[in-house]
Amino acid sequence: MTDLDYFQHLKEKVLLKYQEQYPFFQGNWKSFSAQDIQNLIGLIEVQCKQSISEKWIYTHLKPESNSKVPRKDMLNILSEFVGYSGWDEFIFEDKTPAVATKLPSETKSYKKGIVLFGLIVVVGITGFIVYNQTKKTGSQTIQLHNEFTDEKVNSEEVKVFQVEDSISKELEVKEGKVEVSSTSGKGSQLIIKSPYYKPKTISIIPNASPSEPIQRVALKPDDYAMMIKAFMVSDIKDWQTRKEQLNQILSDNLEVIVMLKDDLGAEFFNKKEFSQLLVVPSESVKKMKIVEIKNDGANKIQFLRIKQE
């Protein structure tokens, strides 16, 4: 097998790993939607403490076939995501054929019965433990608000992930609030991400009795992201001033990906092209929403991912 064959196999394993967390997804990379990509990026960040861009996924994972193998550092991240120490171990394990041992039918039946009985016992004990711990832990309400304005955050502008026993799940955000419950009794962590606010991680203690029924968590706004958001939705008053401000906050190497509606693909813009869109925003621009933002070493915006609504 070639490295491309191993990479194709790795892509299959990534999909299977993704389906463990999102079992309702039963498609392939071709049907992998923009929301699926966001979910996968979140899982990789939580499990591997590494990040993969949406553009990279579109370039290397979405195609049915690849002409070349990606960089090894990215292969290491994906290999770690599916349970290996890195790309080298993945290839080594993939080369090792599984050894099948033939057993008499009676022995197979006996072992199958033992395994089935063991599974029944384990499931019963696990269910009992989870039931009792669930009764004890209860839930907590977390209110997310803007650190500077003290206003509650827009629910559509934040994503909250609860990490418990190395398993990550996304929580629903309503009116800037999330309901958090713990069943392990060990506590968990909330990872809060937003293109408009600085990322934040907080610890949730089970059986905690907060002094207030609703725990308030302040999120620090990302000033540049807020400026871009304002430019998108506001009417133009002084286009020259806006042009100068954009030049100050946007990197010369800016890369913008605009995800089209209904999974119709994406459009790419550089600094000049994107600035022209925002100087005199159209109705379509006013319906766009920032999904991801990254800054360079000079703290200028270097990458933007935007969803068209």
PDB file of all heavy atoms in Angstrom, residues 103-122:
ATOM      1  N   LEU A 103     -11.641 -21.797  16.073  1.00  0.00           N
ATOM      2  CA  LEU A 103     -12.033 -22.525  17.275  1.00  0.00           C
ATOM      3  C   LEU A 103     -13.141 -23.502  16.920  1.00  0.00           C
ATOM      4  O   LEU A 103     -13.937 -23.261  16.010  1.00  0.00           O
ATOM      5  CB  LEU A 103     -12.545 -21.547  18.344  1.00  0.00           C
ATOM      6  CG  LEU A 103     -11.546 -20.523  18.869  1.00  0.00           C
ATOM      7  CD1 LEU A 103     -12.270 -19.530  19.772  1.00  0.00           C
ATOM      8  CD2 LEU A 103     -10.437 -21.209  19.659  1.00  0.00           C
ATOM      9  N   PRO A 104     -13.246 -24.614  17.645  1.00  0.00           N
ATOM     10  CA  PRO A 104     -14.367 -25.523  17.440  1.00  0.00           C
ATOM     11  C   PRO A 104     -15.667 -24.795  17.714  1.00  0.00           C
ATOM     12  O   PRO A 104     -15.728 -23.869  18.515  1.00  0.00           O
ATOM     13  CB  PRO A 104     -14.113 -26.640  18.463  1.00  0.00           C
ATOM     14  CG  PRO A 104     -12.647 -26.548  18.762  1.00  0.00           C
ATOM     15  CD  PRO A 104     -12.288 -25.115  18.631  1.00  0.00           C
ATOM     16  N   SER A 105     -16.755 -25.214  17.051  1.00  0.00           N
ATOM     17  CA  SER A 105     -18.038 -24.530  17.184  1.00  0.00           C
ATOM     18  C   SER A 105     -18.511 -24.534  18.629  1.00  0.00           C
ATOM     19  O   SER A 105     -19.114 -23.565  19.104  1.00  0.00           O
ATOM     20  CB  SER A 105     -19.079 -25.196  16.282  1.00  0.00           C
ATOM     21  OG  SER A 105     -19.213 -26.577  16.611  1.00  0.00           O
ATOM     22  N   GLU A 106     -18.235 -25.648  19.375  1.00  0.00           N
ATOM     23  CA  GLU A 106     -18.685 -25.703  20.767  1.00  0.00           C
ATOM     24  C   GLU A 106     -17.975 -24.637  21.606  1.00  0.00           C
ATOM     25  O   GLU A 106     -18.583 -23.983  22.451  1.00  0.00           O
ATOM     26  CB  GLU A 106     -18.419 -27.095  21.357  1.00  0.00           C
ATOM     27  CG  GLU A 106     -19.219 -28.210  20.707  1.00  0.00           C
ATOM     28  CD  GLU A 106     -18.575 -28.674  19.421  1.00  0.00           C
ATOM     29  OE1 GLU A 106     -17.462 -28.210  19.125  1.00  0.00           O
ATOM     30  OE2 GLU A 106     -19.183 -29.499  18.724  1.00  0.00           O
ATOM     31  N   THR A 107     -16.663 -24.491  21.361  1.00  0.00           N
ATOM     32  CA  THR A 107     -15.892 -23.505  22.127  1.00  0.00           C
ATOM     33  C   THR A 107     -16.354 -22.100  21.802  1.00  0.00           C
ATOM     34  O   THR A 107     -16.471 -21.239  22.671  1.00  0.00           O
ATOM     35  CB  THR A 107     -14.396 -23.649  21.803  1.00  0.00           C
ATOM     36  OG1 THR A 107     -13.994 -24.997  22.047  1.00  0.00           O
ATOM     37  CG2 THR A 107     -13.574 -22.698  22.652  1.00  0.00           C
ATOM     38  N   LYS A 108     -16.640 -21.847  20.524  1.00  0.00           N
ATOM     39  CA  LYS A 108     -17.128 -20.539  20.121  1.00  0.00           C
ATOM     40  C   LYS A 108     -18.444 -20.214  20.820  1.00  0.00           C
ATOM     41  O   LYS A 108     -18.653 -19.106  21.316  1.00  0.00           O
ATOM     42  CB  LYS A 108     -17.321 -20.487  18.605  1.00  0.00           C
ATOM     43  CG  LYS A 108     -16.029 -20.434  17.818  1.00  0.00           C
ATOM     44  CD  LYS A 108     -16.340 -20.262  16.341  1.00  0.00           C
ATOM     45  CE  LYS A 108     -15.058 -20.161  15.527  1.00  0.00           C
ATOM     46  NZ  LYS A 108     -15.341 -20.005  14.088  1.00  0.00           N
ATOM     47  N   SER A 109     -19.366 -21.184  20.849  1.00  0.00           N
ATOM     48  CA  SER A 109     -20.662 -20.950  21.473  1.00  0.00           C
ATOM     49  C   SER A 109     -20.509 -20.679  22.969  1.00  0.00           C
ATOM     50  O   SER A 109     -21.166 -19.797  23.531  1.00  0.00           O
ATOM     51  CB  SER A 109     -21.577 -22.160  21.253  1.00  0.00           C
ATOM     52  OG  SER A 109     -21.780 -22.382  19.874  1.00  0.00           O
ATOM     53  N   TYR A 110     -19.612 -21.453  23.602  1.00  0.00           N
ATOM     54  CA  TYR A 110     -19.395 -21.273  25.035  1.00  0.00           C
ATOM     55  C   TYR A 110     -18.841 -19.878  25.329  1.00  0.00           C
ATOM     56  O   TYR A 110     -19.321 -19.163  26.219  1.00  0.00           O
ATOM     57  CB  TYR A 110     -18.409 -22.330  25.537  1.00  0.00           C
ATOM     58  CG  TYR A 110     -18.009 -22.158  26.978  1.00  0.00           C
ATOM     59  CD1 TYR A 110     -18.867 -22.528  27.997  1.00  0.00           C
ATOM     60  CD2 TYR A 110     -16.774 -21.611  27.312  1.00  0.00           C
ATOM     61  CE1 TYR A 110     -18.503 -22.361  29.331  1.00  0.00           C
ATOM     62  CE2 TYR A 110     -16.403 -21.441  28.634  1.00  0.00           C
ATOM     63  CZ  TYR A 110     -17.268 -21.824  29.641  1.00  0.00           C
ATOM     64  OH  TYR A 110     -16.912 -21.649  30.950  1.00  0.00           O
ATOM     65  N   LYS A 111     -17.829 -19.482  24.532  1.00  0.00           N
ATOM     66  CA  LYS A 111     -17.238 -18.156  24.741  1.00  0.00           C
ATOM     67  C   LYS A 111     -18.234 -17.046  24.440  1.00  0.00           C
ATOM     68  O   LYS A 111     -18.266 -16.010  25.096  1.00  0.00           O
ATOM     69  CB  LYS A 111     -15.985 -17.990  23.884  1.00  0.00           C
ATOM     70  CG  LYS A 111     -14.818 -18.825  24.378  1.00  0.00           C
ATOM     71  CD  LYS A 111     -13.510 -18.336  23.796  1.00  0.00           C
ATOM     72  CE  LYS A 111     -12.329 -19.013  24.465  1.00  0.00           C
ATOM     73  NZ  LYS A 111     -11.045 -18.454  24.005  1.00  0.00           N
ATOM     74  N   LYS A 112     -19.066 -17.266  23.408  1.00  0.00           N
ATOM     75  CA  LYS A 112     -20.068 -16.256  23.078  1.00  0.00           C
ATOM     76  C   LYS A 112     -21.044 -16.083  24.242  1.00  0.00           C
ATOM     77  O   LYS A 112     -21.456 -14.961  24.574  1.00  0.00           O
ATOM     78  CB  LYS A 112     -20.815 -16.656  21.812  1.00  0.00           C
ATOM     79  CG  LYS A 112     -21.836 -15.609  21.347  1.00  0.00           C
ATOM     80  CD  LYS A 112     -22.585 -16.062  20.126  1.00  0.00           C
ATOM     81  CE  LYS A 112     -21.685 -16.144  18.925  1.00  0.00           C
ATOM     82  NZ  LYS A 112     -22.459 -16.493  17.697  1.00  0.00           N
ATOM     83  N   GLY A 113     -21.423 -17.197  24.872  1.00  0.00           N
ATOM     84  CA  GLY A 113     -22.327 -17.111  26.015  1.00  0.00           C
ATOM     85  C   GLY A 113     -21.700 -16.369  27.181  1.00  0.00           C
ATOM     86  O   GLY A 113     -22.357 -15.570  27.849  1.00  0.00           O
ATOM     87  N   ILE A 114     -20.418 -16.650  27.431  1.00  0.00           N
ATOM     88  CA  ILE A 114     -19.719 -15.960  28.519  1.00  0.00           C
ATOM     89  C   ILE A 114     -19.662 -14.459  28.252  1.00  0.00           C
ATOM     90  O   ILE A 114     -19.932 -13.635  29.135  1.00  0.00           O
ATOM     91  CB  ILE A 114     -18.290 -16.530  28.679  1.00  0.00           C
ATOM     92  CG1 ILE A 114     -18.332 -17.977  29.170  1.00  0.00           C
ATOM     93  CG2 ILE A 114     -17.488 -15.669  29.643  1.00  0.00           C
ATOM     94  CD1 ILE A 114     -18.873 -18.144  30.562  1.00  0.00           C
ATOM     95  N   VAL A 115     -19.327 -14.106  27.014  1.00  0.00           N
ATOM     96  CA  VAL A 115     -19.237 -12.689  26.663  1.00  0.00           C
ATOM     97  C   VAL A 115     -20.591 -12.005  26.799  1.00  0.00           C
ATOM     98  O   VAL A 115     -20.700 -10.901  27.337  1.00  0.00           O
ATOM     99  CB  VAL A 115     -18.698 -12.523  25.227  1.00  0.00           C
ATOM    100  CG1 VAL A 115     -18.806 -11.063  24.771  1.00  0.00           C
ATOM    101  CG2 VAL A 115     -17.251 -12.989  25.144  1.00  0.00           C
ATOM    102  N   LEU A 116     -21.653 -12.673  26.314  1.00  0.00           N
ATOM    103  CA  LEU A 116     -22.991 -12.092  26.392  1.00  0.00           C
ATOM    104  C   LEU A 116     -23.422 -11.894  27.839  1.00  0.00           C
ATOM    105  O   LEU A 116     -23.968 -10.841  28.206  1.00  0.00           O
ATOM    106  CB  LEU A 116     -23.987 -13.008  25.665  1.00  0.00           C
ATOM    107  CG  LEU A 116     -25.449 -12.523  25.623  1.00  0.00           C
ATOM    108  CD1 LEU A 116     -25.523 -11.166  24.923  1.00  0.00           C
ATOM    109  CD2 LEU A 116     -26.328 -13.539  24.906  1.00  0.00           C
ATOM    110  N   PHE A 117     -23.143 -12.883  28.670  1.00  0.00           N
ATOM    111  CA  PHE A 117     -23.497 -12.758  30.088  1.00  0.00           C
ATOM    112  C   PHE A 117     -22.736 -11.608  30.731  1.00  0.00           C
ATOM    113  O   PHE A 117     -23.288 -10.819  31.513  1.00  0.00           O
ATOM    114  CB  PHE A 117     -23.184 -14.078  30.812  1.00  0.00           C
ATOM    115  CG  PHE A 117     -23.431 -14.019  32.297  1.00  0.00           C
ATOM    116  CD1 PHE A 117     -24.717 -14.099  32.796  1.00  0.00           C
ATOM    117  CD2 PHE A 117     -22.374 -13.872  33.192  1.00  0.00           C
ATOM    118  CE1 PHE A 117     -24.951 -14.030  34.161  1.00  0.00           C
ATOM    119  CE2 PHE A 117     -22.606 -13.793  34.552  1.00  0.00           C
ATOM    120  CZ  PHE A 117     -23.893 -13.883  35.046  1.00  0.00           C
ATOM    121  N   GLY A 118     -21.433 -11.508  30.397  1.00  0.00           N
ATOM    122  CA  GLY A 118     -20.626 -10.424  30.951  1.00  0.00           C
ATOM    123  C   GLY A 118     -21.149  -9.061  30.529  1.00  0.00           C
ATOM    124  O   GLY A 118     -21.192  -8.123  31.330  1.00  0.00           O
ATOM    125  N   LEU A 119     -21.565  -8.954  29.271  1.00  0.00           N
ATOM    126  CA  LEU A 119     -22.101  -7.683  28.791  1.00  0.00           C
ATOM    127  C   LEU A 119     -23.375  -7.304  29.528  1.00  0.00           C
ATOM    128  O   LEU A 119     -23.591  -6.137  29.887  1.00  0.00           O
ATOM    129  CB  LEU A 119     -22.377  -7.760  27.288  1.00  0.00           C
ATOM    130  CG  LEU A 119     -21.157  -7.725  26.371  1.00  0.00           C
ATOM    131  CD1 LEU A 119     -21.574  -7.942  24.922  1.00  0.00           C
ATOM    132  CD2 LEU A 119     -20.438  -6.388  26.499  1.00  0.00           C
ATOM    133  N   ILE A 120     -24.241  -8.285  29.761  1.00  0.00           N
ATOM    134  CA  ILE A 120     -25.488  -8.018  30.482  1.00  0.00           C
ATOM    135  C   ILE A 120     -25.194  -7.508  31.890  1.00  0.00           C
ATOM    136  O   ILE A 120     -25.808  -6.546  32.373  1.00  0.00           O
ATOM    137  CB  ILE A 120     -26.360  -9.291  30.536  1.00  0.00           C
ATOM    138  CG1 ILE A 120     -26.835  -9.658  29.124  1.00  0.00           C
ATOM    139  CG2 ILE A 120     -27.555  -9.084  31.463  1.00  0.00           C
ATOM    140  CD1 ILE A 120     -27.588 -10.970  29.049  1.00  0.00           C
ATOM    141  N   VAL A 121     -24.229  -8.149  32.558  1.00  0.00           N
ATOM    142  CA  VAL A 121     -23.874  -7.728  33.913  1.00  0.00           C
ATOM    143  C   VAL A 121     -23.309  -6.313  33.905  1.00  0.00           C
ATOM    144  O   VAL A 121     -23.685  -5.470  34.732  1.00  0.00           O
ATOM    145  CB  VAL A 121     -22.852  -8.712  34.532  1.00  0.00           C
ATOM    146  CG1 VAL A 121     -22.337  -8.169  35.870  1.00  0.00           C
ATOM    147  CG2 VAL A 121     -23.491 -10.077  34.728  1.00  0.00           C
ATOM    148  N   VAL A 122     -22.389  -6.052  32.967  1.00  0.00           N
ATOM    149  CA  VAL A 122     -21.765  -4.719  32.900  1.00  0.00           C
ATOM    150  C   VAL A 122     -22.798  -3.638  32.623  1.00  0.00           C
ATOM    151  O   VAL A 122     -22.806  -2.586  33.259  1.00  0.00           O
ATOM    152  CB  VAL A 122     -20.669  -4.701  31.809  1.00  0.00           C
ATOM    153  CG1 VAL A 122     -20.198  -3.264  31.558  1.00  0.00           C
ATOM    154  CG2 VAL A 122     -19.490  -5.572  32.231  1.00  0.00           C
TER     155      VAL A 122
END
